[in-house]
Amino acid sequence: MPKQKTDDLIQLIKSLTRAEKRHFRLFVRRNQASEDILFLQLFDFLDKHQEYDEVQILKKIPAIKKRQLSNLKGHLYKQLLTSLRLLNKNYIEEIQLRELLDYARVLYNKGLYRQSLEILEKAGHRAFLGNYNALAMELIEFEKLIEGQHITGSIEGRAEELTRQSMELSTILYNNNRFSNLALQMYALNLKVGYVRNQKEYFFIKEFFKSKLPEVPIEKLSFWGKIFYCQAFGWYYHMLQDFPMNYRYAQKWIDVFEDEPHMKQANLPLYIKGLHNLLGSLYNVVQYDKFITVLEQFNRLPKEIDFGQDNNIEGLFKTFGFIHNIQKHFMEGSFDEGLKLMPELDKFIESDEYNLDDHRILVFYYLMACMYFSSGDNENAIHYLNLIINQKNPEYREDIQCFARILNLIAHYELGNMRLVEYQVKSVYRFLSKMEDLHEVQKEIFRFLRKTPKIQKSATRNEFIRLKSQLEKLESDPFERRPFLYLDIISWLESKIENKPVGEIIRAKFDSRHTRSTDIK
């Protein structure tokens, strides 16, 4: 068994709950004694040791020969998946529907056409109710095959109905596919680029989106078509930094679920992701009251909807929960409270219990760095920024990679590491130039950092005032405001000018804004 497959087996075993392990052992022992089953002995060894040591396996289980090991691991992996499928089939509608399709196929092969059709009709009704469009089409095509070749006594009136359903599903699947393709392409562009950086990127995104956008109004789409529609438009406006429109489509996403509430339980990961996008959009449009309302709705989910044993759902809930609770503290300026989340988040990342991807970890590291920096703990901020900077050329989130380096310079400046700042300014300047991410905001920050070692202490405050004035002019430029979305540099400058902690500055702004805030119309 190749190394990757072996690693996959170990990872699968590590992911099993106690109930899943118990079910697997009962599943294996149903027909034979466990001491005779070599792959179960291998499972027990791997479960106990949580690592793969071939020498120890052959020593502890003499009945296993080295030449058998590869096939044995492959068989164990397959048996684990079979056991998990059986355990989960009562909770997952899609597995039940596929099982009904299998039963219909078995009955058909035995020549029991009427019984096969009865099962197909029952499964088809459930597939339509649950919006399992691809499965519904597969069921209909099988039913058409039976009706078209055998005299079953049920063809009268059914032919027209099957034809209508097939044509209707073909249109639904065609539109779903077009919008899902567009949503996926926009998501990939967002991971690569993030927010548009210049007019060239702005027009590229607009032309790309318009050229791919199907001319189908959302009202004509099925449940899934509407979700993909909202996803595509959401990413489009997110990249263009049109946050009010991004909010509109994030809210539409949730509205689609509210119109068909039975879809929440069946597609809980997608509903959770929708709430995540809605919270992100509210954060960007600085609508604190609505943000808190939706965050409370998000936090109530485990009490209102059964997560079951789904590790994916639990992982998504915890991941997004950390992100938005951190954002809450950023909005309020309550960084001392936010710091209390950091050890828990660090443990969450290190445990690897939910198989976080590298992109998500990168986002977490940047949020943690910003939290420590804003609270005045520059050493911890630098620690997490270095975890981003020292990655080996990841091909995603170039935006975070760039701003991590800028924040790192500022954190070292705060610590008084002037020689290091002077040395790293040139390196970061070259990096941003290579990434084509060197704009006026960054240039102004670099000019300031280059000058500071030569500026007398008495003149430093004036330099902060000058830099703040320059940056405020740039903040209104649609292609220059991007840096302010990653780092509240203006509040940091105000803290230096007024000799106050950053948190106190942001808290004062929050209090002022909150008292006069109005909801989005």
Side-chain angles (χ1 to χ4, degrees), residues 240-243 441 474-486:
L240 296 186
Q241 301 178 53
D242 188 341
F243 298 126
V441 172
L474 295 169
E475 197 172 11
S476 59
D477 186 320
F479 300 118
E480 291 292 344
R481 67 187 177 202
R482 193 170 71 104
F484 304 102
L485 300 171
Y486 294 90

Side-chain angles (χ1 to χ4, degrees), residues 206-218:
K206 287 197 75 170
E207 288 304 313
F208 179 87
F209 186 74
K210 287 181 179 179
S211 68
K212 304 282 186 181
L213 181 64
E215 294 183 6
V216 183
I218 190 170

Side-chain angles (χ1 to χ4, degrees), residues 57 127 156 188 206 232 257 271 314 331 373 380 412 423 430 493 502:
I57 290 171
E156 186 178 352
K206 287 197 75 170
F257 273 101
Y271 180 63
E314 192 175 282
M331 293 174 85
F373 174 79
N380 264 317
H412 277 295
Y423 170 76
R430 284 194 299 270
L493 290 169
V502 175

Side-chain angles (χ1 to χ4, degrees), residues 133 137 167-181 214 216 221:
N133 301 312
M137 177 61 90
M167 292 178 67
E168 181 183 313
L169 277 173
S170 293
T171 302
I172 289 171
L173 289 169
Y174 177 63
N175 286 328
N176 286 357
N177 189 50
R178 289 196 292 169
F179 278 105
S180 67
N181 287 343
V216 183
L221 297 172

Side-chain angles (χ1 to χ4, degrees), residues 344-356:
E344 187 181 349
L345 176 53
D346 210 14
K347 185 178 179 181
F348 175 73
I349 296 169
E350 290 299 318
S351 71
D352 198 30
E353 183 179 355
Y354 299 101
N355 302 314
L356 297 176

Side-chain angles (χ1 to χ4, degrees), residues 351-476:
S351 71
D352 198 30
E353 183 179 355
Y354 299 101
N355 302 314
L356 297 176
D357 58 68
D358 291 339
H359 165 249
R360 188 65 65 200
I361 293 172
L362 191 79
V363 171
F364 275 141
Y365 285 158
Y366 190 74
L367 288 174
M368 295 170 83
C370 288
M371 182 65 74
Y372 280 115
F373 174 79
S374 300
S375 67
D377 187 346
N378 293 290
E379 290 184 355
N380 264 317
I382 290 169
H383 167 71
Y384 287 102
L385 292 168
N386 282 335
L387 292 176
I388 298 171
I389 293 167
N390 294 332
Q391 288 193 17
K392 293 183 179 179
N393 303 317
E395 295 180 356
Y396 49 84
R397 294 312 296 264
E398 292 175 357
D399 50 349
I400 288 181
Q401 295 175 54
C402 292
F403 287 100
R405 285 161 171 80
I406 293 172
L407 182 55
N408 188 55
L409 284 175
I410 296 172
H412 277 295
Y413 169 82
E414 285 282 64
L415 289 173
N417 300 329
M418 294 306 179
R419 286 188 179 180
L420 186 61
V421 169
E422 194 173 359
Y423 170 76
Q424 287 194 347
V425 161
K426 296 175 184 177
S427 172
V428 175
Y429 192 94
R430 284 194 299 270
F431 180 87
L432 267 62
S433 297
K434 184 180 177 182
M435 289 286 189
E436 297 182 359
D437 200 16
L438 196 56
H439 293 75
E440 287 303 314
V441 172
Q442 289 96 317
K443 289 177 182 178
E444 286 292 339
I445 294 170
F446 286 148
R447 289 189 193 107
F448 169 79
L449 292 171
R450 277 186 179 135
K451 287 196 311 185
T452 47
K454 304 168 188 175
I455 298 172
Q456 292 185 359
K457 196 171 182 179
S458 57
T460 304
R461 186 173 183 274
N462 288 334
E463 284 300 317
F464 281 122
I465 293 171
R466 186 202 65 78
L467 178 58
K468 177 175 175 284
S469 176
Q470 290 296 108
L471 294 185
E472 283 177 334
K473 292 175 186 176
L474 295 169
E475 197 172 11
S476 59

